[in-house]
Amino acid sequence: MGKHIKTISAVTLPSTIKDRGCGECQASCQSACKTSCTVGNQVCVKDNK
Amino acid sequence: MLHKFEFDGIKIVLDVNSGSVHIVDQLVWDLLEDCRQTPEDIIVRKYSQKYNPDDVLGALAEIKQLEQKGLLFSADPCQGAYNPPARLEVKSLCLHLAHDCNMRCRYCFAGQGRFGGSDDLMPADTGRRALDFLITRSGRRKHLEVDFFGGEPLMNFTVLQDLVAYGRERGCETGKEFKFTLTTNALLLDEKVAKYLNDQNISVVLSLDGRREVHDAMRPKPGGAGSYDAVLARIKHFVDSRDGANYIIRGTYTRHNRDFCADVLHLADMGFKNLSIEPVVAPADAGYSLRAEDLSQLSSQYELLTRELLRRRRAGSPFSFFHFNIDLDGGPCLPKRLTGCGAGYEYMAVAPNGDIYPCHQFVGREEYLVGNVSEENLNDRVISLFRTAHMYNKKTCTGCWARFFCSGGCHANAEMSNGTILEPYSLGCDLARKRLECALYLKAAESGVQQKKT
């Protein structure tokens, strides 16, 4: 943590490519008639195990 | 690309291309505007009236350090282009068990459940063929999802039970794991149905719009009477029966309840914990459709909701508002963020007659027909159209700071508002960005990190 900048998330998107993209996560419908979720709402299945 | 915003005194910076999030003080907030294109000595001089030069140099050093770590001013991880995998791997199906409904919701995009056709129920053998289609087309995917949808799917409860049993059996045989979800208006959710859903561990999405007058105005029964009392009694009983687990209450807000924060809190006050209230998507000429001029009020409602949610969490009575859920550290990987909802190639909808469409919102639209569960051949043109409709192919997304969170938004909303799935629904984008800011603020506020004033 710096004096002027406090980082609350330091995960970088490029780092999530490795061993990912398995597609086992939930579909992320974004229409209003279902429980729409932006993709960002999701949790990686691998992290959840 | 950075996105800077301030919420209740907290200055937040999202580094768009890496996804990292920072809380900054006023000094860094100012410096981020010109620190990359201006030499240090000129910056120090520029801010000499406002800040101590040592502080400016210290802040610049912090910015540089984060830049070197790829956490600020990072480059696009895909260099502005993306080629989706060519293979078709379907992992999720929306099964329209019934094109019929026992309610007459005024905003129903499905035309009272019929999707422009007749009031059919899906036969069991068609449903079974749909599950076989999913297994066959899922390739290496182990986890498969099936959402029972309609119309009102509980009007075809016998077939629903048959398909759950069939899916489980075929899943064991083929090494696949089915997750079933039911989306229901709850009118038929009696004790027998509840017990079955609990025993089978089926996730349930329950439709309830909030306050009685709001719900009844848009969700009447066929005779015109409101459904609030009947639905609420069913939902309360059902949620209790599964100890408050594995459910979500979802409602829709329209132009008639732009003060929708009150509806969310109404549901929370009744003890429901998993909530989602969504903006209606409707033709522009519908009296209840949201308009561009509503944005300011709707944004204020999300802010109100954010503050109240935070207050309740801190007071020990939390609830979850689906659109504010965000996992910054364990969120989706980059490939997932690029594929988005996957409609038309990972996710498809099946009508009662077995016809396959890119998603439930396109059901009944001949030009988007993908195929039928009884036939081998699929319409490659439609599949390809959806597979390539990712955010790098949507002009407005390339300049948007939220693109790695929403992945280009809902194709159906885009098509309804602009006639093409490649041009996102602009009001929907505005609302999505507002919700993301609220979600990021909640993370910042709950991080325990406070910035001192410089």
Side-chain angles (χ1 to χ4, degrees):
Chain A
M1 290 287 170
K3 180 182 170 190
H4 304 280
I5 306 176
K6 315 291 184 193
T7 298
I8 59 172
S9 172
V11 172
T12 65
L13 287 180
S15 73
T16 66
I17 296 176
K18 197 182 172 199
D19 296 330
R20 301 298 178 92
C22 64
E24 297 292 347
C25 52
Q26 194 185 347
S28 53
C29 170
Q30 291 172 73
S31 90
C33 53
K34 294 203 170 191
T35 295
S36 70
C37 63
T38 55
V39 175
N41 286 129
Q42 293 202 306
V43 174
C44 175
V45 175
K46 286 191 171 179
D47 280 351
N48 238 0
K49 282 180 181 171
Chain B
M1 182 183 194
L2 302 182
H3 176 60
K4 292 164 58 187
F5 68 99
E6 189 168 355
F7 194 127
D8 284 355
I10 299 185
K11 293 180 173 59
I12 298 166
V13 175
L14 167 71
D15 183 54
V16 173
N17 290 324
S18 71
S20 58
V21 183
H22 315 276
I23 300 174
V24 305
D25 62 8
Q26 182 66 49
L27 169 56
V28 170
W29 181 268
D30 291 341
L31 293 180
L32 286 173
E33 291 302 316
D34 49 13
C35 65
R36 294 192 89 204
Q37 61 272 28
T38 313
E40 260 186 24
D41 56 331
I42 295 179
I43 293 177
V44 170
R45 217 175 310 136
K46 176 179 174 182
Y47 290 102
S48 62
Q49 298 295 314
K50 195 173 175 186
Y51 301 111
N52 178 310
D54 288 341
D55 276 336
V56 174
L57 289 170
L60 286 171
E62 285 184 37
I63 291 169
K64 195 161 192 176
Q65 198 175 28
L66 290 174
E67 192 175 346
Q68 285 165 348
K69 287 181 181 173
L71 301 175
L72 271 180
F73 301 112
S74 59
D76 187 311
C78 301
Q79 286 90 45
Y82 171 58
N83 282 319
R87 65 182 181 274
L88 180 69
E89 287 191 347
V90 185
K91 66 176 182 179
S92 184
L93 276 190
C94 178
L95 288 192
H96 289 228
L97 288 191
H99 272 188
D100 194 4
C101 192
N102 49 3
M103 282 175 62
R104 292 293 179 269
C105 302
R106 296 200 160 92
Y107 46 53
C108 182
F109 72 95
Q112 276 67 53
R114 293 184 182 128
F115 290 84
S118 57
D119 50 352
D120 298 331
L121 299 182
M122 178 181 282
D125 63 336
T126 303
R128 287 179 173 217
R129 276 199 288 272
L131 297 187
D132 289 337
F133 165 85
L134 179 56
I135 289 169
T136 306
R137 300 283 185 172
S138 60
R140 301 165 301 175
R141 306 281 164 88
K142 179 183 166 88
H143 296 93
L144 305 180
E145 296 166 47
V146 173
D147 183 19
F148 297 118
F149 202 67
E152 171 49 46
L154 287 182
M155 293 178 80
N156 201 4
F157 184 50
T158 307
V159 168
L160 183 155
Q161 294 172 90
D162 179 273
L163 295 180
V164 170
Y166 183 73
R168 296 256 153 83
E169 184 190 321
R170 293 282 290 128
C172 284
E173 291 166 6
T174 56
K176 304 287 184 180
E177 207 170 291
F178 277 92
K179 181 179 190 300
F180 294 102
T181 302
L182 166 72
T183 300
T184 178
N185 63 29
L187 274 182
L188 297 174
L189 189 49
D190 60 17
E191 284 209 26
K192 178 185 141 203
V193 175
K195 182 173 186 319
Y196 172 81
L197 296 172
N198 294 340
D199 290 347
Q200 294 296 325
N201 194 28
I202 293 175
S203 301
V204 180
V205 180
L206 301 147
S207 297
L208 178 61
D209 280 356
R211 294 164 291 180
R212 177 197 301 274
E213 62 275 20
V214 168
H215 180 96
D216 281 348
M218 294 306 284
R219 300 184 67 83
K221 294 180 191 172
S227 61
Y228 177 87
D229 287 331
V231 164
L232 181 60
R234 294 283 201 205
I235 289 179
K236 275 184 171 171
H237 191 269
F238 175 67
V239 170
D240 285 346
S241 79
R242 53 174 49 195
D243 299 324
N246 212 8
Y247 80 93
I248 188 158
I249 292 182
R250 71 154 310 285
T252 301
Y253 70 79
T254 71
R255 195 153 209 273
H256 300 322
N257 62 316
R258 281 167 284 170
D259 58 343
F260 66 88
C261 178
D263 294 293
V264 180
L265 298 181
H266 174 77
L267 297 172
D269 288 342
M270 287 192 290
F272 298 122
K273 298 293 185 194
N274 305 316
L275 307 175
S276 178
I277 297 279
E278 327 258 341
V280 72
V281 175
D285 58 354
Y288 55 81
S289 67
L290 299 167
R291 299 170 197 172
E293 63 260 35
D294 299 332
L295 179 61
S296 169
Q297 184 180 356
L298 300 176
S299 296
S300 297
Q301 288 290 300
Y302 281 119
E303 288 174 8
L304 265 178
L305 182 57
T306 301
R307 293 185 187 106
E308 183 59 15
L309 182 59
L310 188 59
R311 189 190 72 75
R312 292 189 187 204
R313 281 183 185 170
R314 286 173 170 165
S317 53
F319 66 89
S320 162
F321 182 67
F322 197 77
H323 282 147
F324 291 169
N325 292 344
I326 195 167
D327 186 339
L328 293 175
D329 296 323
C333 60
L334 182 60
K336 172 66 187 174
R337 291 174 195 249
L338 296 171
T339 53
C341 72
Y345 65 106
E346 283 188 345
Y347 166 73
M348 294 184 185
V350 181
N353 65 359
D355 280 349
I356 304 168
Y357 294 90
C359 88
H360 55 288
Q361 294 234 18
F362 288 96
V363 167
R365 304 274 304 275
E366 195 64 30
E367 66 273 35
Y368 291 106
L369 183 65
V370 172
N372 187 282
V373 294
S374 300
E375 298 162 7
E376 189 66 26
N377 291 336
L378 298 177
N379 185 335
D380 290 335
R381 179 192 61 80
V382 175
I383 293 170
S384 175
L385 172 69
F386 279 78
R387 181 163 42 208
T388 54
H390 53 76
M391 62 170 158
Y392 286 110
N393 285 337
K394 297 183 180 182
K395 272 186 196 163
T396 48
C397 294
T398 53
C400 175
W401 64 263
R403 61 180 181 268
F404 288 112
F405 287 93
C406 90
S407 300
C410 170
H411 298 311
N413 296 355
E415 205 263 358
M416 178 182 278
S417 61
N418 298 315
T420 166
I421 65 172
L422 292 172
E423 191 177 338
Y425 167 52
S426 126
L427 181 58
C429 295
D430 289 331
L431 295 172
R433 281 189 286 265
K434 186 68 204 178
R435 293 190 299 248
L436 275 168
E437 285 189 349
C438 293
L440 292 171
Y441 163 73
L442 284 168
K443 284 291 178 194
E446 293 182 314
S447 68
V449 172
Q450 296 293 324
Q451 270 297 0
K452 288 177 195 163
K453 289 190 176 169
T454 306

